[in-house]
Amino acid sequence: MQIREHLGSGKPAIILYPSGAVITFDDLEARANRLAHFFRQHGLHEGDVVAILMENNEHMHAIMWAARRAGLYYVPINTHLTAAEAAYIIDNSGASAIIGSAALRKTCEGLEAELPNGLPSLLMIADDDLDGWLRYPECVADQPDTPIDDEIEGDLLQYSSGTTGRPKGIKRELPHVPPSEAPGLMSMLVSVWMDSESIYLSPAPLYHTAPSVWSMSVQAAGIPTVVMEKFDAEGCLDAIQKYRVTHGQFVPAMFTRMLKLPHSVRDSYDVSSLKRVIHAAAPCPVEIKKQMIDWWGPIVDEYYASSEAHGSTLISAEEWLAHPGSVGKPMTGAVHILDEDGNELPPGQAGEIYFEGGHTFEYLNDPEKTAKSRDRHGWTTVGDIGYLDEEGYLYLTDRRHHMIISGGVNIYPQEAENMLITHPKVLDAAVFGIPDDEMGQSVKGVVQTVDPADATNEFADELLGWLRDRLAHYKCPRSISFEQQLPRTDTGKLYKHELIAKYS
């Protein structure tokens, strides 16, 4: 992955929204090179780890590019974590350096007390002063803006969102080649999907896998990236209109929030510049996607993948209209659906999804979890459940650990969640199992309403009746409660264990 062939034009590499700050390709190149030299000067070499504690800002991409060129693993840390939670990742990854920002100052200040082996030797904080930390980018100002002599490709070391426990580091073997010889994970898709006149929108936090990988792949192709400093439904439409965005990568929760805007607001923005968008990270309810295609046209593509990058599928909007609900066919390798005994299941039967022929990975410092992700053939899984149709299209059912067993019946709550979210008064929904003396587990629903005034017992009863008219009763919650905000990650994944603990 490289950006150098796009230098000298003054073309924007990054445009921050809503601040409007612009970083050109020339500037991005210089910033990355200066930091790469600084890493070398401070003894960081291939295989070392840099932890990044930053919001979406002007520095994030330069830091990731510098790490890649210096052969380092870089670990973007969720900005919502406490100092103790961030310290766990820093310690678990064996980070040799931390780069924080003014916005995350409090988290940075709290790290030392939470790290059993103390802070790494190299500490930097962007646009702020903190005792014992170097001020970035001033601390690298005297470094050369030319490439380091020993460039070698690094990689993202991503930690899972930790929705069922402590996050796990997902580590791949470094390629041990110069950056010019290392193809990016998304480079082929970007080259087919976009061209030199494209403008890409990145609306999600860069500490997540897809936004960081997609935006860097887009920059490697010389395409400007509009980075939303924080997602906002109306702001997203404004950014599309203002910068004539042609492409973007979204998550279904963003679609839902845009669709719940008043029609007068939605219709006031011109989104006709859009050529293709793609979504992933969480299952998209069929009705939500149909509404997006009705609004934006048949340009809403979808892929299914994971932070482990062990396999992926792709489906175009046109294919999806013929196979609604599918996440497509594998881009590489093959998909296998296995039962609990490891036997392959026929089309139409749900089981655990395994990929053959994908990238290898390991869960850092967790050989047991790594071993459990493989079967006897060497196929890999991340615990998702789904099935194939007769044409080989994959459909997701749910996560294995989300399954509810009530009276001996397996219930996948995603179906009820998808239905609830289509109700015009519902902004978000979670369905999960809680202990039940008679049935083992019973089905519980928690809803976030568009208008807080609708969070009433009367509406709960109305919603239960509405749902039972549309789904088999055993799949429906026995009761519905309301929350002002569901504990959902920025990429749309629910922290269901928080809700289970509260309502059990």
Side-chain angles (χ1 to χ4, degrees):
M1 294 177 69
Q2 286 287 24
I3 58 174
R4 289 183 184 136
E5 61 190 79
H6 315 295
L7 301 179
S9 64
K11 188 176 182 180
I14 301 159
I15 304 167
L16 294 177
Y17 177 89
S19 70
V22 174
I23 297 93
T24 66
F25 278 101
D26 288 352
D27 194 17
L28 180 59
E29 169 75 9
R31 292 183 186 201
N33 287 335
R34 283 194 287 266
L35 184 53
H37 278 283
F38 193 76
F39 285 149
R40 284 288 186 267
Q41 187 181 87
H42 285 262
L44 271 65
H45 294 284
E46 185 186 21
D48 287 338
V49 177
V50 175
I52 307 171
L53 262 170
M54 283 189 171
E55 78 287 10
N56 286 8
N57 62 24
E58 65 174 286
H59 304 298
M60 187 93 171
H61 279 105
I63 293 165
M64 293 191 292
W65 278 111
R68 286 199 80 99
R69 294 173 174 188
L72 308 179
Y73 287 105
Y74 53 100
V75 184
I77 296 175
N78 187 322
T79 59
H80 300 295
L81 299 185
T82 64
E85 291 167 326
Y88 166 78
I89 292 174
I90 291 165
D91 181 62
N92 186 260
S93 67
S96 300
I98 305 172
I99 305 183
S101 69
L104 277 296
R105 180 192 173 100
K106 282 191 175 181
T107 308
C108 293
E109 286 177 325
L111 291 175
E112 187 170 13
E114 303 292 346
L115 284 165
N117 300 311
L119 289 163
S121 58
L122 181 56
L123 304 169
M124 290 177 272
I125 187 164
D127 305 323
D128 204 353
D129 294 300
L130 184 59
D131 285 347
W133 294 60
L134 300 171
R135 185 182 177 98
Y136 178 84
E138 288 82 355
C139 64
V140 305
D142 61 348
Q143 297 295 322
D145 58 11
T146 52
I148 57 176
D149 293 333
D150 60 342
E151 280 194 332
I152 193 160
E153 183 77 351
D155 197 7
L156 175 70
L157 172 50
Q158 183 66 43
Y159 273 72
S160 67
S161 55
T163 53
T164 58
R166 279 195 151 177
K168 300 295 183 186
I170 299 158
K171 190 174 185 180
R172 291 174 289 273
E173 177 68 21
L174 293 175
H176 309 299
V177 297
S180 59
E181 299 175 20
L185 289 175
M186 295 288 184
S187 56
M188 182 179 296
L189 188 58
V190 168
S191 65
V192 171
W193 203 48
M194 306 170 75
D195 58 39
S196 60
E197 300 303 313
S198 298
I199 304 290
Y200 176 76
L201 178 67
S202 185
L206 292 167
Y207 60 71
H208 285 295
T209 304
S212 61
V213 172
W214 269 93
S215 59
M216 292 181 77
S217 299
V218 164
Q219 289 161 10
I223 295 165
T225 302
V226 178
V227 176
M228 293 190 71
E229 290 158 295
K230 185 177 182 181
F231 178 77
D232 170 77
E234 185 174 352
C236 185
L237 300 178
D238 183 50
I240 292 168
Q241 175 179 274
K242 182 174 183 178
Y243 296 107
R244 306 302 296 160
V245 168
T246 59
H247 296 75
Q249 195 259 340
F250 297 84
V251 299
M254 295 173 180
F255 289 161
T256 301
R257 280 157 174 74
M258 288 188 285
L259 286 166
K260 301 291 182 178
L261 290 169
H263 277 279
S264 58
V265 174
R266 284 169 44 186
D267 295 344
S268 68
Y269 291 96
D270 178 7
V271 295
S272 62
S273 60
L274 291 173
K275 294 183 178 178
R276 306 296 301 191
V277 301
I278 200 162
H279 68 93
C284 186
V286 170
E287 287 303 313
I288 295 296
K289 186 159 179 177
K290 282 181 178 176
Q291 290 176 46
M292 287 303 301
I293 290 175
D294 287 343
W295 180 14
W296 285 3
I299 63 168
V300 185
D301 302 330
E302 180 174 1
Y303 72 97
Y304 161 65
S306 66
S307 298
E308 289 82 348
H310 71 130
S312 58
T313 64
L314 178 68
I315 189 166
S316 68
E318 294 85 354
E319 285 180 289
W320 186 90
L321 288 168
H323 301 269
S326 174
V327 294
K329 292 183 174 181
M331 287 190 259
T332 57
V335 173
H336 302 275
I337 307 298
L338 306 184
D339 66 16
E340 292 180 356
D341 297 320
N343 302 310
E344 197 142 11
L345 293 168
Q349 289 193 27
E352 195 160 352
I353 301 167
Y354 282 78
F355 278 94
E356 175 188 1
H359 291 274
T360 59
F361 68 92
E362 65 177 78
Y363 292 108
L364 189 61
N365 303 321
D366 197 335
E368 182 180 351
K369 185 176 174 67
T370 301
K372 285 182 177 179
S373 69
R374 273 78 165 160
D375 82 335
R376 63 181 182 271
H377 302 96
W379 304 339
T380 56
T381 183
V382 296
D384 288 338
I385 304 295
Y387 65 91
L388 296 169
D389 68 12
E390 294 286 352
E391 296 179 62
Y393 283 89
L394 178 65
Y395 295 75
L396 301 181
T397 306
D398 215 321
R399 295 285 290 175
R400 176 177 54 195
H401 57 259
H402 288 169
M403 186 176 71
I404 302 165
I405 303 176
S406 183
V409 177
N410 293 348
I411 301 168
Y412 291 107
Q414 182 185 309
E415 192 173 2
E417 289 172 353
N418 288 353
M419 185 62 68
L420 283 168
I421 204 73
T422 64
H423 192 285
K425 292 183 179 181
V426 174
L427 183 62
D428 204 354
V431 176
F432 48 90
I434 57 175
D436 184 287
D437 291 339
E438 179 185 357
M439 305 296 285
Q441 284 183 301
S442 63
V443 184
K444 175 67 181 178
V446 177
V447 162
Q448 178 183 345
T449 55
V450 176
D451 183 349
D454 288 325
T456 64
N457 291 334
E458 291 75 18
F459 180 55
D461 292 339
E462 175 191 327
L463 197 55
L464 282 172
W466 179 88
L467 190 60
R468 286 169 180 158
D469 287 341
R470 290 160 173 80
L471 281 182
H473 288 197
Y474 77 91
K475 298 178 181 179
C476 298
R478 290 191 177 185
S479 65
I480 288 178
S481 299
F482 297 98
E483 293 282 339
Q484 290 186 341
Q485 180 79 43
L486 293 190
R488 192 180 282 277
T489 71
D490 299 297
T491 55
K493 294 179 182 177
L494 276 167
Y495 286 111
K496 286 193 176 182
H497 60 282
E498 294 183 17
L499 296 170
I500 293 168
K502 180 173 180 177
Y503 289 96
S504 292

